[in-house]
Amino acid sequence: MNAGYLALIGRPNAGKSTLLNRFVGQKIAIVSDKPQTTRQRIIGVKNTPDAQLVFVDTPGIHKPMHRMNRRMVDEALDALRQVDVVVLVVDALERTGEGDHFVLNLLRDVKSPVILALNTVDRMKKTELLPLIEGYAKALPFRAIVPISALSGDGVDALEKELVAALPEGAPLFDRDYFTDQSERSMAAELIREKVLVHTRDELPYTTAVIIDRFEEPAEEGNVTKIFASILVDSASQKPIVIGRHGEMIKRIGTEARKDLEQMLDGRVYLDLHVKVRSDWRDDERILDELGIK
Ligand SMILES: Nc1nc2c(ncn2[C@@H]2O[C@H](COP(=O)(O)OP(=O)(O)OP(=O)(O)O)[C@@H](O)[C@H]2O)c(=O)[nH]1
Ligand SMILES: [Mg+2]
């Protein structure tokens, strides 16, 4: 039996959370086409007959401009040093830049084995892949380089084999029915935030946070879970964007979030959303603590 922690590390938008969800077999991390979607570490566990893989999804590594972003990047850097195996997730379609070199340099000092998952190969020709693999092999002594598509699942089994082989021998760390460290409350907040991310543009995805004000479990079987949540924006001018003309945007966010919440909670949900202005919340330690962004 092999068991241990594996960190999913990489630049924002590389596909780390998509890969986490694929391994775990259900949606535990939110995903969007906007960078900096993940703001805190999320644990997701995959059990196989002969291994337990405890994945740690991390925020994308980027240049931090706010306290929140510093905390996000620190979360990723801490994870790097605490795991048995590091999985570097790279979007193979993106041209490598300064940020990638920064991440590769960080990995030079990591003691645990590092495996490269070259992602988004569903959108590439095989001939384009080879020089890329050669380039990465020269840049760092990866234990393995595996082309994958986190979206379609291609190559993910091959990656899993490499990961299991790199894990130390040992007993499982968690019960077999344990799959994430997130509470229903924080997953609810994340699902609502995902809908804001998906439907808004420009700076909105970066300036929004969701706080659950009240989470009322159903009193009896078949009853409704009542969730009261606030969407924080950091300036008054952003409030009408989240609300939309005649409230269309907030309605859409609410409807889509409620569907996901009902699926997650396996029951009916009443969702009440409010938009609140909290200027500079991204630099407010108290709000960051409240949000659980460590
Ligand atoms: N075509 C394609 N798209 C992918 C693949 N993996 C992820 N994506 C898309 O890439 C975008 C980013 O995915 P995420 O999983 O949120 O990326 P992330 O690395 O977790 O991003 P951060 O949390 O911001 O660091 C989403 O729109 C995904 O649907 C893939 O294998 N192929
Ligand atoms: Mg993510």
Side-chain angles (χ1 to χ4, degrees):
M1 187 88 187
N2 287 6
Y5 284 93
L6 309 100
L8 300 172
I9 297 280
R11 305 268 298 135
N13 237 0
K16 300 176 292 297
S17 301
T18 308
L19 184 59
L20 177 81
N21 291 341
R22 177 155 291 279
F23 273 126
V24 177
Q26 53 179 300
K27 181 164 166 176
I28 56 170
I30 62 166
V31 164
S32 88
D33 59 347
K34 316 286 191 302
Q36 300 172 29
T37 297
T38 305
R39 288 181 178 164
Q40 52 214 335
R41 263 188 267 179
I42 295 172
I43 283 185
V45 185
K46 158 122 201 187
N47 288 293
T48 71
D50 51 5
Q52 184 174 70
L53 301 94
V54 184
F55 289 100
V56 186
D57 184 18
T58 65
I61 295 172
H62 62 281
K63 205 180 253 174
M65 305 294 269
H66 294 273
R67 255 178 217 163
M68 171 181 74
N69 302 70
R70 183 159 300 286
R71 288 189 186 202
M72 284 163 61
V73 174
D74 284 349
E75 284 263 281
L77 303 187
D78 286 349
L80 258 187
R81 297 183 201 102
Q82 295 165 358
V83 295
D84 303 293
V85 177
V86 173
V87 188
L88 173 64
V89 184
V90 169
D91 181 348
L93 279 178
E94 283 284 313
R95 282 185 53 158
T96 45
E98 212 180 301
D100 298 278
H101 294 125
F102 179 75
V103 176
L104 283 172
N105 270 328
L106 280 174
L107 293 175
R108 273 179 231 290
D109 304 324
V110 169
K111 301 264 181 319
S112 29
V114 183
I115 291 176
L116 174 63
L118 264 183
N119 194 29
T120 53
V121 297
D122 52 290
R123 294 180 54 202
M124 276 184 98
K125 290 200 204 88
K126 285 228 166 61
T127 48
E128 294 169 320
L129 206 55
L130 216 57
L132 211 60
I133 293 177
E134 280 169 4
Y136 274 103
K138 272 193 208 130
L140 210 80
F142 290 103
R143 187 189 154 109
I145 298 179
V146 189
I148 62 158
S149 168
L151 199 66
S152 75
D154 256 10
V156 174
D157 287 345
L159 175 62
E160 187 181 308
K161 280 205 186 81
E162 293 289 350
L163 301 183
V164 170
L167 280 176
E169 245 182 77
L173 305 157
F174 297 100
D175 283 347
R176 284 192 84 84
D177 56 358
Y178 180 87
F179 63 94
T180 186
D181 62 337
Q182 292 183 96
S183 64
E184 280 180 344
R185 203 182 163 106
S186 61
M187 275 167 93
E190 284 289 89
L191 283 176
I192 298 165
R193 189 167 67 85
E194 182 186 66
K195 304 310 168 202
V196 181
L197 288 188
V198 168
H199 292 299
T200 60
R201 287 181 291 118
D202 304 326
E203 82 275 25
L204 255 291
Y206 307 100
T207 55
T208 322
V210 175
I211 289 184
I212 304 292
D213 300 312
R214 228 161 69 205
F215 190 107
E216 289 177 15
E217 310 242 350
E220 55 200 68
E221 200 76 29
N223 247 340
V224 181
T225 305
K226 290 186 185 159
I227 301 173
F228 300 80
S230 302
I231 297 174
L232 308 188
V233 291
D234 80 356
S235 75
S237 63
Q238 293 168 351
K239 194 172 167 173
I241 307 178
V242 177
I243 292 172
R245 196 187 294 178
H246 307 302
E248 273 163 21
M249 179 65 97
I250 190 83
K251 205 167 153 190
R252 192 161 162 200
I253 290 167
T255 310
E256 289 191 14
R258 186 168 48 76
K259 272 191 212 142
D260 279 17
L261 289 165
E262 290 188 331
Q263 200 177 1
M264 174 182 94
L265 297 166
D266 196 20
R268 281 168 55 219
V269 167
Y270 166 82
L271 179 61
D272 182 79
L273 293 177
H274 280 276
V275 184
K276 289 182 188 160
V277 180
R278 290 280 179 281
S279 33
D280 303 323
W281 68 263
R282 287 179 292 172
D283 283 308
D284 187 324
E285 306 271 4
R286 203 181 48 78
I287 295 180
L288 294 176
D289 287 341
E290 198 174 322
L291 288 167
I293 301 172
K294 290 187 204 83

